[in-house]
Amino acid sequence: MSLRVTLLGTGTSHGVPAIGCDCDVCHSRDPRDRRLRPSILIEVAGSPDPPDDRTAASPTAASVRNILVDTSTDLRAQALTNDIRRVDAILFTHSHADHVLGLDEVRRYNAMQGAPIPCYADRATLDDLRRMFAYIFDAPRATAGGIPQLTVGCIAGPFTLGGIEIVPVPLVHGHQRILGFRIGGFAYLTDCNRIPEESWPLLGGVRVVVLDALRDRPHPTHFSVAEAVEAVARLAPDRAYFTHICHDLAHAATSARLPPGVELAYDGLVLEVP
Ligand SMILES: [Zn+2]
Ligand SMILES: [Zn+2]
Ligand SMILES: [Zn+2]
C-alpha cells in the first residue's frame, strides 16, 4: 500500500490573499503564495489485503480509495483544480468553519457515485456538524435530492476503512481538543498549538508529516514556525511540510530559512508516501 497525498489548501481560515489586503504576500506573483482553506486528499494505491485472500477482505476493501480530510470552504474550487472524481470517505479534524463549510459540495459525489458518503469525526465535531448543517441532518426524506447524502461514524479510537488503518491523533488547538490523523507512514496535524504527551507514541516512526505553522508570531491556537520546527525535531520524520499558513509568510523566503527536510507546503503539492 502506498499513499498519494495532495495538499488541496494550505492557507489559514481567511485564505491568502486575504480580502482587501495590500501586503506583499497577498500581492505576490508566486502561485505558491495563493492559499485556499486547509484540506488534503489521500489516495490509497495498492490493496492493503493479501491478493490471494479476497474472502477475508472487508466488504468495502475495494471501494475506499480516495479519503478527503475536511470539507473546506473552498472544496468546489479544490475539486475542480485537482480534478477529484471520487470521494470514498471524509475524515473531519474539527468543526471550525474553514474545515467544514464546503460540506454541501459533496452532493456532486453523491450524484456521480450513486451512494451516500461515509463521514467520520469525533463526538464533539459530529454534534457541531448536526447543528451547523441542520438542513442536512434534520431534513425530511422528501427533500433528500437537494442535500448531501452522508452516513456518519463516530471516531473513538483507531479504526479501519476498507482495510486501511486510520489512527486519530488528539491535538491541542487552544481550548479545544481536535484530531490529527495518521495513516501508515503519513500524519496530518493541522490546527494545533501543542501535541499532547499521549499523542507522541501514536506518531512514532512517521515518515512524512504535514503540520500547522501559522506565522512567526506566537498564536494561542496554532504553532508558530519556530514551535513547528521544534515539534518536527522531536517527530524526526524524513520530510515535514507546514500548512495553515497566513499572509505573514512568503513561500520562497520562508522555505529558504527552514531546516533541511522542512518546507512550506503549497496548494497542489503532491506527496508520495511509501
Ligand atoms: Zn495580506
Ligand atoms: Zn481550527
Ligand atoms: Zn483551521
Side-chain angles (χ1 to χ4, degrees):
M1 184 184 81
S2 67
L3 306 177
R4 185 173 188 270
V5 177
T6 304
L7 281 288
L8 303 176
T10 59
T12 190
S13 59
H14 296 283
V16 180
I19 294 171
C21 184
D22 289 321
C23 80
D24 287 348
V25 174
C26 287
H27 282 268
S28 166
R29 293 182 180 203
D30 184 340
R32 297 170 301 180
D33 286 328
R34 299 186 76 83
R35 302 169 183 135
L36 297 178
R37 267 55 74 86
S39 173
I40 61 169
L41 179 72
I42 302 171
E43 293 167 86
V44 183
S47 172
D49 300 296
D52 57 345
D53 188 18
R54 300 187 73 87
T55 52
S58 78
T60 56
S63 60
V64 174
R65 283 292 171 265
N66 282 7
I67 301 169
L68 182 66
V69 183
D70 292 330
T71 55
S72 95
T73 316
D74 296 311
L75 176 55
R76 179 172 174 275
Q78 291 163 338
L80 290 170
T81 300
N82 295 280
D83 196 22
I84 302 171
R85 300 281 174 131
R86 278 195 74 79
V87 172
D88 296 298
I90 301 169
L91 307 177
F92 284 101
T93 59
H94 65 310
S95 63
H96 281 167
D98 45 333
H99 297 260
V100 305
L101 285 187
L103 184 57
D104 195 68
E105 309 298 353
V106 309
R107 287 179 300 140
R108 273 299 296 154
Y109 296 103
N110 292 142
M112 290 189 289
Q113 296 165 207
I117 312 286
C119 297
Y120 301 87
D122 65 18
R123 173 52 57 202
T125 300
L126 287 180
D127 288 348
D128 287 345
L129 289 174
R130 285 183 198 284
R131 219 168 18 81
M132 296 167 79
F133 295 93
Y135 77 94
I136 297 175
F137 293 99
D138 298 344
R141 278 187 175 276
T143 66
I147 60 172
Q149 301 295 300
L150 311 171
T151 63
V152 172
C154 183
I155 299 176
F159 63 106
T160 59
L161 273 181
I164 304 154
E165 190 184 31
I166 314 285
V167 180
V169 179
L171 298 171
V172 175
H173 184 32
H175 295 300
Q176 270 184 279
R177 283 289 175 117
I178 74 142
L179 296 180
F181 294 102
R182 176 169 186 177
I183 304 178
F186 173 73
Y188 182 59
L189 311 174
T190 188
D191 290 64
C192 55
N193 59 302
R194 193 162 64 80
I195 300 171
E197 251 348 280
E198 68 267 26
S199 292
W200 287 93
L202 304 174
L203 297 166
V206 71
R207 306 274 303 273
V208 179
V209 63
V210 175
L211 183 65
D212 185 343
L214 180 74
R215 63 187 191 190
D216 285 318
R217 280 177 299 136
H219 188 277
T221 66
H222 295 278
F223 275 137
S224 65
V225 171
E227 290 166 339
V229 166
E230 208 172 294
V232 168
R234 183 170 169 190
L235 287 165
D238 297 345
R239 290 174 288 151
Y241 299 88
F242 292 161
T243 190
H244 216 291
I245 307 158
C246 86
H247 61 167
D248 289 9
L249 303 179
H251 183 90
T254 307
S255 282
R257 62 180 162 90
L258 293 173
V262 184
E263 51 193 289
L264 288 196
Y266 54 87
D267 291 17
L269 174 66
V270 174
L271 309 175
E272 303 284 351
V273 185

